[in-house]
Amino acid sequence: MAETRAAIRYAKAALSLATDKQVAEAINSDMVLIYKTIQDNPELDEAIKNAVVKSEDKKAILSKVFPNVNAMVQELFKVLDANKRLDLIGAVANKYTELFDIQNGKESATVTTAVPITEEVEAKVLAKIKELTNKAVTVKNIVDESILGGFILRVGDIQYNGSIANKLNTLKREFTIN
């Protein structure tokens, strides 16, 4: 929990500075790249979070993996390093993107499905999103085989559970109560 709060604080500060310097969108592109790269490469994530790896080595890794990021992002690397929080870079990048979307009136929707989302399911999801919110929404798909079928949609604080596992659990509760 403390790591999340720290990541939010760094992300808010970075977004505030980027907005003041009118480079918030460019920084957001870099943050999306950083988050996606770290998520897609467990070895990179492990190296950044490993307490045994020296700070200089972590900075060198980040500089080699992200040589073309904005100078402000490079400064963020330095600030995180100086505060011994370089392990938070992935969380900071994710929080920055979330805050940037909120600042620009965009909402992020998470769709959990048993299999990767198809165009048909995506159309249903977008229809459900239009019922729930008037904002522009980006859809992120999470695959979780335990829901068996259907989908779980989360937009902000609103959740719609149309999964088969949920329907089966509801039936199970009805039969055990009666």
Side-chain angles (χ1 to χ4, degrees):
M1 186 69 159
E3 287 183 359
T4 303
R5 281 188 282 191
I8 291 170
R9 287 185 185 129
Y10 283 109
K12 280 182 179 178
L15 180 59
S16 176
L17 184 60
T19 301
D20 290 347
K21 293 188 175 195
Q22 298 179 346
V23 293
E25 194 165 338
I27 301 299
N28 186 56
S29 298
D30 289 344
M31 294 297 193
V32 168
L33 173 69
I34 291 167
Y35 180 72
K36 183 160 178 36
T37 303
I38 291 173
Q39 290 298 306
D40 291 347
N41 297 291
E43 299 86 13
L44 174 61
D45 189 35
E46 180 62 34
I48 292 170
K49 291 181 179 175
N50 193 330
V52 177
V53 177
K54 293 180 183 175
S55 178
E56 303 87 48
D57 294 337
K58 291 179 184 181
K59 280 194 317 189
I61 290 168
L62 289 173
S63 295
K64 287 188 184 212
V65 173
F66 306 109
N68 300 322
V69 294
N70 191 296
M72 198 176 127
V73 176
Q74 294 287 348
E75 288 300 314
L76 177 62
F77 291 163
K78 290 177 186 175
V79 168
L80 289 171
D81 180 48
N83 294 325
K84 298 186 183 343
R85 300 297 257 164
L86 211 48
D87 60 319
L88 291 179
I89 189 61
V92 171
N94 185 37
K95 293 298 178 188
Y96 180 96
T97 302
E98 288 176 11
L99 293 170
F100 178 80
D101 286 346
I102 290 168
Q103 178 175 303
N104 290 305
K106 295 179 186 173
E107 188 97 35
S108 178
T110 304
V111 181
T112 305
T113 55
V115 295
I117 196 167
T118 63
E119 288 181 23
E120 180 183 320
V121 173
E122 187 173 354
K124 288 181 183 178
V125 168
L126 290 173
K128 190 50 118 172
I129 291 171
K130 286 182 182 179
E131 289 178 25
L132 298 174
T133 183
N134 298 342
K135 297 180 181 179
V137 178
T138 57
V139 177
K140 182 172 102 176
N141 182 221
I142 297 173
V143 177
D144 179 3
E145 295 174 1
S146 69
I147 70 167
L148 304 176
F151 63 90
I152 301 171
L153 171 63
R154 181 179 259 309
V155 181
D157 293 340
I158 303 168
Q159 179 170 311
Y160 172 78
N161 193 337
S163 68
I164 292 176
N166 182 54
K167 291 177 183 175
L168 290 173
N169 284 333
T170 303
L171 280 172
K172 182 179 175 183
R173 281 191 302 264
E174 286 180 18
F175 283 126
T176 56
I177 291 173
N178 294 330

